Amino acid sequence: MELSLASSRGALLPAAAPPLAAPRPRSSPSLQIQNHIYSMPALSHKAYTPVACQASLPTKYMETPEIVDLDWENLGFALVNTDFMYMAKCGPDGNFSKGEMVPFGPIALSPSAGVLNYGQGLFEGLKAYRKTDGSVLLFRPKENAIRMINGSDRMCMPAPTVEQFVDAVKLTVLANKRWVPPTGKGSLYIRPLLIGSGAILGLAPAPEYTFIIYVSPVGNYFKEGLAPINLIIEDNFHRAAPGGTGGVKTIGNYASVLKAQRTAKEKGYSDVLYLDAVHNKYLEEVSSCNIFVVKGNTICTPALEGTILPGITRKSIIEVAESKGYKVEERPVSVDELLTADEVFCTGTAVVVSPVGSITYLGKRVEYEGNQGVGAVSQQLYTSLTSLQMGLAEDRMGWTVQLN
């Protein structure tokens, strides 16, 4: 069925239908875009011809220079509905269909879908930044593709190739380019999803998978911004255990932290820091980000041994820190080391670098000094990394990908 996009929010009309007499009002002229006609993929199970993971959108739309009129100064970390999302299917043969850009909105799933019944799903998170010249940069998208491939093996799922993944990310960002915040006002958060969409009753891998990418403009993850956050160490619940799925970005890892996180926030803490499930004394990670401990010129972070997510920002900060002359150690880090550290900070795609102002453990609160609570190392690494991400500094690492 051929469809015509009648609004930037994806209202659909048959292509042959006359235009609406009273189009939905807009908050700003910048939200007006020209109608486009394209084919909408069926969301039901169907056979697809194995081809490269590609998609297209009219060039005139992708080159629209307008930026959406939002309150960029007060942009938080919450979903903002954008224009388009990417979708591709994969059947039992393991080959993904030709991807398509469709209006952002609900998707159809069987109640018996593998992701709904058995949690067979993965997601990724990366960002796009607008440079001062108006062009857009992606940050290390290949690393996200590789992590999804590794996670899909653990979850018995097929995955797009690195090339397919990166191409799909590029197309999705270009289709929603007007939602990329102005330089220094935030970023476009990119959320790739790989889910078992096929219907399955018995416990087994799903017969069909759907690869989706949607985006949303975001500001700071923590309301504090680049200001110290206050963590509490969880000594009852654990995020992951050896032999489990803590080292892959599967959806179930995040639901399990919600109870402890909600309790912590009710008590006024920013988030929860988890300990290992064996000894209950070594640091693992915060609910959605990695942890670093600074002592003198040495920066320590828990080693990746299967229970900690291999964060891409974590990896980047390690490389940036080493380039700045710091000694970085990846090894078990005890609570005692944490409580006697000079400085502590978290890293993640959403938070980038977040300094820790205090840690509370078994009723004891330890505070870390710094410039208004922000340690010198945290500030230096945050500035170095964000300058690369936003194109404000020369990318000698070769990490950014510019979209024209």
Side-chain angles (χ1 to χ4, degrees):
M1 175 177 170
E2 195 175 58
L3 302 171
S4 174
L5 183 63
S7 81
S8 64
R9 291 297 176 88
L12 297 175
L13 296 171
L20 292 173
R24 188 167 59 186
R26 299 292 178 189
S27 59
S28 167
S30 66
L31 293 179
Q32 299 288 346
I33 64 171
Q34 184 177 348
N35 288 356
H36 301 282
I37 298 176
Y38 52 87
S39 297
M40 177 80 169
L43 296 178
S44 59
H45 183 91
K46 62 178 285 188
Y48 288 88
T49 304
V51 295
C53 189
Q54 301 172 345
S56 62
L57 198 67
T59 302
K60 186 173 182 180
Y61 174 82
M62 293 195 299
E63 293 178 351
T64 299
E66 299 170 344
I67 299 179
V68 175
D69 183 17
L70 290 180
D71 183 5
W72 300 113
E73 299 296 335
N74 296 297
L75 186 63
F77 200 93
L79 179 66
V80 175
N81 292 347
T82 51
D83 296 323
F84 294 98
M85 62 185 184
Y86 177 94
M87 184 176 292
K89 297 273 188 177
C90 178
D93 61 2
N95 294 303
F96 280 85
S97 68
K98 180 179 180 180
E100 295 187 80
M101 302 305 304
V102 300
F104 176 83
I107 61 173
L109 279 179
S110 165
S112 191
V115 66
L116 298 180
N117 290 262
Y118 302 115
Q120 198 180 22
L122 295 163
F123 74 91
E124 278 298 325
L126 63 158
K127 289 179 175 178
Y129 297 84
R130 189 180 296 275
K131 294 176 63 177
T132 53
D133 64 4
S135 61
V136 175
L137 291 179
L138 299 178
F139 184 71
R140 308 192 78 172
K142 289 184 179 180
E143 295 290 333
N144 294 90
I146 293 169
R147 189 167 65 179
M148 177 168 276
I149 290 171
N150 293 337
S152 68
D153 180 68
R154 178 66 177 85
M155 301 300 290
C156 291
M157 304 169 73
T161 66
V162 171
E163 181 181 7
Q164 289 171 340
F165 181 101
V166 174
D167 284 349
V169 167
K170 290 178 179 178
L171 288 163
T172 308
V173 173
L174 286 172
N176 296 283
K177 184 177 178 181
R178 69 202 191 101
W179 296 92
V180 182
T183 306
K185 304 299 182 182
S187 58
L188 188 71
Y189 187 82
I190 307 162
R191 174 56 61 85
L193 288 168
L194 181 61
I195 60 174
S197 52
I200 187 87
L201 186 60
L203 179 58
E208 177 193 80
Y209 297 87
T210 302
F211 178 47
I212 301 169
I213 303 177
Y214 69 90
V215 298
S216 174
V218 297
N220 293 318
Y221 182 78
F222 291 117
K223 61 182 176 58
E224 294 89 347
L226 186 64
I229 61 172
N230 301 300
L231 301 178
I232 183 170
I233 295 178
E234 175 58 50
D235 61 343
N236 185 24
F237 296 107
H238 293 282
R239 177 189 168 274
T245 58
V248 299
K249 207 168 177 66
T250 181
I251 57 178
N253 287 349
Y254 296 84
S256 63
V257 307
L258 295 177
K259 182 177 178 63
Q261 185 187 63
R262 182 177 64 182
T263 300
K265 290 188 174 183
E266 288 173 349
K267 295 179 179 179
Y269 298 103
S270 307
D271 213 328
V272 176
L273 173 58
Y274 291 89
L275 301 178
D276 74 288
V278 177
H279 305 285
N280 207 39
K281 72 173 186 178
Y282 295 107
L283 311 184
E284 292 264 291
E285 60 181 279
V286 183
S287 302
S288 59
C289 45
N290 298 111
I291 189 88
F292 286 78
V293 174
V294 181
K295 191 71 173 180
N297 196 54
T298 301
I299 302 175
C300 300
T301 191
L304 302 178
E305 297 181 346
T307 58
I308 297 171
L309 186 72
I312 294 161
T313 307
R314 174 190 181 276
K315 180 178 181 179
S316 303
I317 283 293
I318 289 173
E319 295 180 54
V320 170
E322 289 176 335
S323 74
K324 300 291 183 184
Y326 292 101
K327 179 183 179 183
V328 180
E329 297 178 352
E330 297 180 71
R331 58 172 177 78
V333 182
S334 69
V335 174
D336 291 339
E337 289 181 79
L338 174 74
L339 299 179
T340 58
D342 297 333
E343 188 178 336
V344 179
F345 62 88
C346 302
T347 65
T349 298
V351 304
V352 187
V353 174
S354 186
V356 175
S358 74
I359 296 283
T360 299
Y361 179 53
L362 299 178
K364 178 184 177 181
R365 179 184 174 102
V366 174
E367 296 186 348
Y368 303 96
E369 297 181 357
N371 181 16
Q372 295 183 337
V374 180
V377 178
S378 302
Q379 181 68 68
Q380 182 185 22
L381 296 179
Y382 172 84
T383 300
S384 297
L385 187 60
T386 55
S387 294
L388 278 175
Q389 292 174 327
M390 294 187 289
L392 301 176
E394 181 182 356
D395 179 14
R396 297 179 180 178
M397 302 288 194
W399 288 344
T400 56
V401 177
Q402 181 161 322
L403 304 184
N404 296 319

